[in-house]
Amino acid sequence: MRGLKKFGNLLYRIWCVFSFLLPFIIFLPFFRIFILRKKWYKYAGLLNRIWSWLQLRMYFIPVKVVHKAPLDPKQVYIYAPNHTSYIDIPLLLSTVPGFLNFVGKVSLTRVPLWGVIFKALYISVDRDSQLSRAKTYIYSNKSIDQGRSIVIFPEGKIPDANVGQDLAPFKDGPFKLAIDRKIPLVPVTMPFNHIFLPDVKGKFVVNWHPLKIVFHEPIDTTNMTMDDLEPLKAHVFNLIKSEFVINENGNQYSNNQKPGSFSPAGV
């Protein structure tokens, strides 16, 4: 029985690689065309959203989307999600409307084929460089001026330990930006991504598991000052962590959706 389970998992991993690569290979020529001009970037963003949605469907995983309050499609937001897996960005792209911008680590720009696309569409940061962090703040402000919501992982990277059970200390970036620009900040919890696609160095591990994403109520920063930065960080930290599911059997999730289905993103 154990050998049969291992063989089934191997087949599923192969299928997941196929589901990731096939749409990307088909879309790649269009990506390369759409990043030739800045005015076409929004089409590349839409294509990236379609690719993310398609690969999640092909993984045969149900995704439950929870909104604690309605989100205004005309409003620019700063989304602050926990970071646990490389599936985080596809899940966000599949569930957040509009032409999003992401702040991601600079190593993503060096990924073969995909790196040049990420560099054109999104903001890369070398967290060990003070100059790079300063430029990221400038680019984030420009993105807001262009009417693009921004996703910034407040942990900065996938935690090295206790993933899905605790959060790494938060950086100031998304909170300072929200207060400076008086933009609503939306905490986001993704409690099961690390189970489906864990970040295991030197290994490619996939475990079939339903996913869930929780959009907390937007936090109004209109009347906030930098004196509110630390309380805001603590409040968001607790909100995100409140949706973690931990018991003696590990992280568990259950719903009655059919495999591969999505709950409505706007509800």
Side-chain angles (χ1 to χ4, degrees):
M1 181 63 71
R2 183 176 297 179
L4 186 61
K5 186 176 181 180
K6 288 179 66 176
F7 180 69
N9 183 262
L10 174 62
L11 289 180
Y12 184 63
R13 276 186 288 161
I14 293 172
W15 174 255
C16 287
V17 172
F18 174 80
S19 301
F20 175 85
L21 289 177
L22 180 63
F24 178 67
I25 292 170
I26 293 172
F27 292 158
L28 182 58
F30 300 97
F31 272 125
R32 299 304 294 263
I33 291 172
F34 290 149
I35 64 173
L36 290 176
R37 296 186 181 182
K38 286 189 176 181
K39 64 180 181 180
W40 295 344
Y41 281 6
K42 60 182 178 181
Y43 302 118
L46 176 60
L47 194 61
N48 199 15
R49 181 185 299 281
I50 294 170
W51 175 36
S52 297
W53 179 88
L54 185 59
Q55 63 176 281
L56 286 172
R57 297 280 293 193
M58 293 178 70
Y59 296 153
F60 302 117
I61 46 176
V63 176
K64 184 175 182 180
V65 183
V66 177
H67 286 82
K68 298 290 187 178
L71 296 175
D72 183 354
K74 298 181 180 179
Q75 172 69 52
V76 173
Y77 295 101
I78 294 174
Y79 293 92
N82 64 309
H83 198 12
T84 66
S85 168
Y86 289 107
I87 202 67
D88 292 348
I89 290 179
L91 181 56
L92 286 159
L93 281 167
S94 299
T95 54
V96 181
F99 182 22
L100 289 178
N101 207 340
F102 283 87
V103 175
K105 56 185 180 181
V106 71
S107 60
L108 291 172
T109 65
R110 297 191 286 267
V111 175
L113 299 179
W114 169 246
V116 65
I117 299 169
F118 186 91
K119 187 175 183 179
L121 295 181
Y122 306 119
I123 301 169
S124 60
V125 57
D126 179 355
R127 300 194 183 278
D128 295 325
S129 167
Q130 186 173 353
L131 177 60
S132 178
R133 295 197 301 271
K135 287 182 178 179
T136 295
Y137 199 78
I138 294 172
Y139 295 150
S140 297
N141 271 288
K142 287 183 178 179
S143 184
I144 291 170
D145 292 337
Q146 294 166 359
R148 293 176 67 181
S149 293
I150 305 177
V151 176
I152 305 177
F153 297 102
E155 295 167 281
K157 63 176 184 177
I158 297 174
D160 295 325
N162 299 322
V163 179
Q165 301 180 38
D166 206 349
L167 294 162
F170 281 1
K171 310 294 184 183
D172 291 346
F175 310 100
K176 184 175 184 299
L177 187 64
I179 293 172
D180 271 348
R181 296 301 302 265
K182 308 301 180 187
I183 292 174
L185 186 143
V186 182
V188 182
T189 305
M190 297 178 286
F192 305 114
N193 290 9
H194 68 288
I195 300 176
F196 171 70
L197 188 63
D199 179 27
V200 182
K201 290 179 173 58
K203 294 183 179 180
F204 174 61
V205 179
V206 179
N207 303 295
W208 188 95
H209 196 286
L211 301 181
K212 180 180 180 181
I213 184 167
V214 180
F215 294 93
H216 298 271
E217 185 174 352
I219 299 172
D220 185 8
T221 62
T222 304
N223 298 316
M224 290 187 182
T225 67
M226 286 304 154
D227 292 335
D228 299 301
L229 190 146
E230 291 301 326
L232 177 60
K233 283 169 61 177
H235 178 56
V236 172
F237 187 100
N238 291 328
L239 275 177
I240 292 175
K241 192 173 177 180
S242 70
E243 290 292 334
F244 287 178
V245 180
I246 305 170
N247 59 35
E248 66 275 9
N249 296 318
N251 294 67
Q252 300 294 319
Y253 174 79
S254 64
N255 69 15
N256 295 320
Q257 292 178 284
K258 294 180 180 179
S261 64
F262 283 75
S263 61
V267 178

